[in-house]
């Protein structure tokens, strides 16, 4: 499998491509990372150095990849946080060109815009751009519950309302939806869930909620679920594998006391997920 991953990059720590590439490689995926920024560290530190990469420069790198003939065996275009409006145009153009070269390719979009605790943390134009132009072009999306609500102008909280919202967004284009950070009012205390929905059904998985914030964990989740799902077409299996790997990554990070994901130290969790959580079919 070959993935063209258009995301940010940092030298110190793990977010964007610096979080997604290694787990994908560890499960046997060939990754072509294209950077949208090249920062010293993620912006959560409040200070960082390095350049935003101009959309035309990103486009130029992708054109060079195309000139090598790589689009014909590219299975997935993956995108995450989009810092500016111009990057969306580059991504959408790339998706069209990859699919022209390989009609079996899919576009997986993590529509990063915010979360329930901090609200939207991207430029005001980005959520609207994602909703109106980018998400409809995707085959698979991985919003958190808050982002799903924005994309559908709903307020998903229960399982039933989250399924309704997932179906609303599926009707606009993406047939497969992974909803992360699902927090139902009636869930057991100290737990959190993920929900996967496609044409075959819907599945949910519950894990303990660790008392930590981990920048980059969503990027790892989106990458692993996309790869597993593209490989097998089995949403339940992809959900089980991804949940196992990411939970073990987060557990190791939490126990280490480190601020950054213990990405390399957790590599066995990607290659050989322990499958410790039960996935329940809910539709």
């Amino acid at each position: 499998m070959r993935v063209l991953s258009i995301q940010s990059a940092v030298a110190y720590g793990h977010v964007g491509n610096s979080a997604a590439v290694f787990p994908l490689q560890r499960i046997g995926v060939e990754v072509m990372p294209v950077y949208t920024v090249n920062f010293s560290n993620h912006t959560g530190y409040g200070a960082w150095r390095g350049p935003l990469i101009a959309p035309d420069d990103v486009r130029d790198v992708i054109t060079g990849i195309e000139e090598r003939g790589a689009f014909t065996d590219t299975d997935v275009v993956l995108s995450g946080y989009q810092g500016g409006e111009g990057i969306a145009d580059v991504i959408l153009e790339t998706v069209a060109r990859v699919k022209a070269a390989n009609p079996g390719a899919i576009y997986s979009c993590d529509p990063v815009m915010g979360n329930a605790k901090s609200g939207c943390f991207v430029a005001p134009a980005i959520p609207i751009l994602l909703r109106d132009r980018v998400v409809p072009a995707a085959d698979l999306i991985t919003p958190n519950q808050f982002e799903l609500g924005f994309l559908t102008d709903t307020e998903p909280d229960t399982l039933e309302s989250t399924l309704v919202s997932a179906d609303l967004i599926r009707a606009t284009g993406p047939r497969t939806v992974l909803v992360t950070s699902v927090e139902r009012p009636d869930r057991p205390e100290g737990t959190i869930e993920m929900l996967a929905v496609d044409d075959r059904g819907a599945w949910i998985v519950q894990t303990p909620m660790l008392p930590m914030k981990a920048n980059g964990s969503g990027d790892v989740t989106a990458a692993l679920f996309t790869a597993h799902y593209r490989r097998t077409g089995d949403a339940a299996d992809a959900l089980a594998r991804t949940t196992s790997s990411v939970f073990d990554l987060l557990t190791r990070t939490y126990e280490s006391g480190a601020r950054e994901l213990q990405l390399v130290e957790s590599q066995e969790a990607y290659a050989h997920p322990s499958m410790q959580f039960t996935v329940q079919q809910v539709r």
Side-chain angles (χ1 to χ4, degrees):
M1 186 190 307
R2 186 188 293 268
V3 173
L4 174 60
S5 183
I6 308 169
Q7 300 195 57
S8 59
V10 294
Y12 176 84
H14 302 289
V15 298
N17 266 332
S18 303
V21 170
F22 178 67
L24 288 174
Q25 291 172 330
R26 196 62 183 81
I27 63 170
V29 175
E30 182 72 42
V31 189
M32 299 180 292
V34 175
Y35 300 157
T36 55
V37 310
N38 190 11
F39 286 168
S40 55
N41 51 271
H42 70 68
T43 59
Y45 285 93
W48 65 94
R49 295 178 182 270
L52 288 163
I53 299 176
D56 281 345
D57 290 334
V58 177
R59 182 182 285 111
D60 206 31
V61 171
I62 293 169
T63 298
I65 294 170
E66 183 178 26
E67 289 169 349
R68 303 285 75 75
F71 282 7
T72 56
D73 61 353
T74 295
D75 301 289
V76 178
V77 178
L78 174 65
S79 72
Y81 170 75
Q82 297 183 20
E85 297 174 61
I87 291 296
D89 291 328
V90 175
I91 292 169
L92 291 172
E93 291 166 16
T94 302
V95 169
R97 283 152 57 191
V98 167
K99 288 190 171 188
N102 179 11
I106 66 167
Y107 171 36
S108 176
C109 170
D110 185 6
V112 178
M113 57 184 82
N115 56 57
K117 291 183 176 63
S118 57
C120 278
F121 50 63
V122 297
I126 297 297
I128 295 162
L129 176 69
L130 287 168
R131 182 191 66 200
D132 294 348
R133 291 188 56 214
V134 179
V135 165
D139 301 287
L140 189 166
I141 62 170
T142 59
N144 60 38
Q145 195 174 29
F146 169 84
E147 291 161 342
L148 178 64
F150 179 88
L151 291 170
T152 55
D153 196 24
T154 60
E155 295 185 6
D157 54 358
T158 64
L159 176 59
E160 292 73 22
S161 62
T162 304
L163 284 168
V164 168
S165 298
D167 286 339
L168 285 172
I169 201 64
R170 290 175 67 241
T172 71
R175 299 307 302 166
T176 305
V177 180
L178 174 69
V179 189
T180 64
S181 300
V182 175
E183 300 186 38
R184 292 191 277 172
D186 58 343
R187 74 189 190 283
E189 187 175 351
T191 63
I192 194 163
E193 294 169 311
M194 284 202 294
L195 174 73
V197 186
D198 70 3
D199 289 340
R200 298 181 182 182
W203 297 265
I204 199 163
V205 64
Q206 184 177 95
T207 71
M209 183 163 60
L210 297 169
M212 63 182 294
K213 177 185 178 184
N215 294 86
S217 58
D219 302 319
V220 176
T221 301
L224 287 176
F225 182 84
T226 297
H228 289 310
Y229 186 76
R230 180 65 180 82
R231 186 171 272 160
T232 68
D234 185 333
D237 180 71
L239 182 60
R241 290 179 181 278
T242 302
T243 301
S244 175
S245 298
V246 173
F247 183 80
D248 283 349
L249 165 64
L250 291 176
T251 299
R252 180 180 286 268
T253 301
Y254 176 66
E255 290 175 349
S256 75
R259 179 168 180 173
E260 294 288 348
L261 290 175
Q262 299 297 286
L263 194 80
V264 175
E265 295 85 347
S266 303
Q267 59 182 289
E268 284 304 307
Y270 326 134
H272 304 106
S274 52
M275 307 294 274
Q276 69 271 49
F277 300 109
T278 301
V279 171
Q280 178 187 358
Q281 186 164 8
V282 291
R283 189 170 72 191

